[in-house]
């Protein structure tokens, strides 16, 4: 059982509506439904009854609700206490890198931050997409390098630049040697995508939902990391789209990268919680903006935000 499952349980109990709960948490209704199913399976009890009249708590659900609230409150207090201890002793800043972060500028931004703030020790975490943005909200990360669209009220997002997308196809694919290809050419193939726990806007962008005009994408695999994404393309012969910097910086054997025509841009950003954030987090965004303004030419085909 994970804390995020409890948060989802409380949100549904408060709204008695899976869709509204998902909107509050910036998740899809199906992601909330799966999370509640996992929690019920782990606990061995049914928490909700869903019928034509709506959603109601079961007796077991009602009895567990207040305990869930107390657990979440205690977890939040514990997280706050830990952050306070860190702030009053040795200063550490935890940065989550989603995918390849800021592409070719990731190292430059981190190095310049260390030079400017030598008293702050950076702890770099490789983000698992299956956790979505929950680590930013529960205090596991202080700041993150990630890809928009993430215009969520719970996050303060500083956009840095945009870069084009590439099609990823297996090496024997008919498009593997093409100079470029329209993403519509692989709409009828199964795609690799990210877990449903990511913000719904991320998921829609990763599957080019707006470009499909109502056509339902075929999901062949869900990848938690860039390595899993490349492996699904190489060994399961699936397809998908990724930022153009991914195959440049982390090429995968057996995978061909083809410039994607008609794909949404990948927007690169620094994000941290909208409230209760550490000043160091805002300083990271300031450094990133400064580095980007001077060195964006190092990211091929990038455009300023």
């Amino acid at each position: 059982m994970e804390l995020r499952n409890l948060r989802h349980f409380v949100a549904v109990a408060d709204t008695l509506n899976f869709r509204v709960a998902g909107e509050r948490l910036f998740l899809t209704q199906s992601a909330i439904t799966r999370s509640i199913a996992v929690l019920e399976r782990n606990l061995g009890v049914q928490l909700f009854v869903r019928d034509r009249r709506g959603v109601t708590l079961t007796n077991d659900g009602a009895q567990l609700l207040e305990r869930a609230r107390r657990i979440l409150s205690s977890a939040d207090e514990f997280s706050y206490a830990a952050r306070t201890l860190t702030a009053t002793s040795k200063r550490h800043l935890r940065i989550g890198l989603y995918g390849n972060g800021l592409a070719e500028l990731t190292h430059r931004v981190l190095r310049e931050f260390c030079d400017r703030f030598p008293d702050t020790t950076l702890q770099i975490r490789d983000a698992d997409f299956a956790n979505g943005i929950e680590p930013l909200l529960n205090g596991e990360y202080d700041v993150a390098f990630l890809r928009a669209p993430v215009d969520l009220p719970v996050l303060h997002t500083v956009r840095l630049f945009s870069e084009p997308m590439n099609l990823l196809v297996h090496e024997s694919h008919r498009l593997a040697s093409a100079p470029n290809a329209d993403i519509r050419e692989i709409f009828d193939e199964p795609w690799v995508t990210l877990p449903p726990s990511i913000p719904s806007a991320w998921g829609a962008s990763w599957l080019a939902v707006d470009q499909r005009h109502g056509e339902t994408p075929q999901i062949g695999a869900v990848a938690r990391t860039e390595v899993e994404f490349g492996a699904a393309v190489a060994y399961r012969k699936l397809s998908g789209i990724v930022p153009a910097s991914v195959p440049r910086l982390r090429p995968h054997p057996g995978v061909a990268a083809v410039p994607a025509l008609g794909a949404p841009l990948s927007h690169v950003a620094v994000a941290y919680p909208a409230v209760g954030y550490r000043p160091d987090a805002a300083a990271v965004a300031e450094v990133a903006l400064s580095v980007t303004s001077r060195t964006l030419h190092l990211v091929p085909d990038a455009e300023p935000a």
Side-chain angles (χ1 to χ4, degrees):
M1 181 177 66
E2 299 185 16
L3 287 177
R4 71 169 180 267
N5 299 127
L6 290 183
R7 294 187 192 279
H8 301 165
F9 165 49
V10 171
V12 175
D14 285 343
T15 61
L16 294 180
N17 188 301
F18 280 68
R19 179 184 58 79
V20 174
E23 290 175 351
R24 286 191 177 185
L25 298 171
F26 305 102
L27 296 171
T28 63
Q29 180 176 338
S30 59
I32 292 292
T33 300
R34 282 190 292 269
S35 178
I36 297 301
V38 168
L39 184 59
E40 289 178 328
R41 186 165 59 250
N42 289 340
L43 296 177
V45 299
Q46 183 178 358
L47 300 172
F48 297 100
V49 174
R50 301 173 71 177
D51 55 31
R52 297 177 182 176
R53 292 172 294 179
V55 178
T56 57
L57 276 165
T58 63
N59 290 334
D60 289 334
Q63 292 184 43
L64 292 173
L65 178 58
E66 290 309 312
R67 295 187 181 185
R69 294 189 196 280
R70 289 198 295 270
I71 291 171
L72 291 175
S73 178
S74 296
D76 290 341
E77 290 176 3
F78 180 85
S79 178
Y80 176 78
R83 290 197 299 270
T84 301
L85 286 173
T86 300
T88 56
S89 56
K90 192 171 182 178
R91 297 172 66 181
H92 295 275
L93 190 68
R94 296 157 300 182
I95 300 181
L97 297 185
Y98 287 79
N100 66 19
L102 310 183
E104 281 87 353
L105 304 190
T106 302
H107 169 65
R108 292 176 178 271
V109 170
L110 295 176
R111 184 181 63 190
E112 182 156 327
F113 181 87
C114 291
D115 291 343
R116 289 197 199 179
F117 302 93
D119 294 333
T120 299
T121 300
L122 296 184
Q123 297 178 345
I124 308 301
R125 310 286 174 80
D126 192 9
D128 182 339
F129 283 103
N131 296 325
I133 60 170
E134 185 68 21
L136 269 174
L137 304 181
N138 66 21
E140 184 179 342
Y141 304 155
D142 299 305
V143 62
F145 296 172
L146 42 68
R147 301 300 174 113
V150 285
D151 295 324
L152 308 178
V154 291
L155 294 181
H156 185 81
T157 303
V158 180
R159 294 199 182 199
L160 302 175
F161 60 91
S162 300
E163 64 169 325
M165 301 287 268
N166 277 182
L167 299 181
L168 286 194
V169 295
H170 56 91
E171 59 187 348
S172 59
H173 192 279
R174 57 188 170 81
L175 296 175
S177 60
N180 54 60
D182 194 298
I183 57 172
R184 291 174 295 183
E185 294 192 56
I186 61 169
F187 276 178
D188 60 347
E189 301 176 12
W191 279 38
V192 188
T193 188
L194 301 182
S197 49
I198 63 175
S200 57
W202 269 6
S205 177
W206 222 257
L207 289 170
V209 168
D210 289 345
Q211 289 71 25
R212 292 177 185 267
H213 303 295
E215 178 185 342
T216 301
Q218 299 181 54
I219 307 300
V222 172
R224 299 165 63 111
T225 65
E226 286 182 353
V227 171
E228 289 186 8
F229 199 108
V233 173
Y235 310 126
R236 298 177 61 178
K237 295 189 174 181
L238 302 175
S239 303
I241 56 174
V242 296
S245 57
V246 171
R248 285 199 308 269
L249 300 177
R250 295 181 180 177
H252 195 290
V255 172
V258 182
L261 304 178
L265 291 175
S266 176
H267 303 289
V268 182
V270 174
Y272 49 89
V275 295
Y277 62 86
R278 290 180 51 179
D280 288 351
V284 170
E286 293 173 5
V287 170
L289 283 169
S290 175
V291 171
T292 299
S293 68
R294 303 191 312 269
T295 63
L296 185 57
H297 63 280
L298 298 175
V299 184
D301 301 316
E303 300 178 3

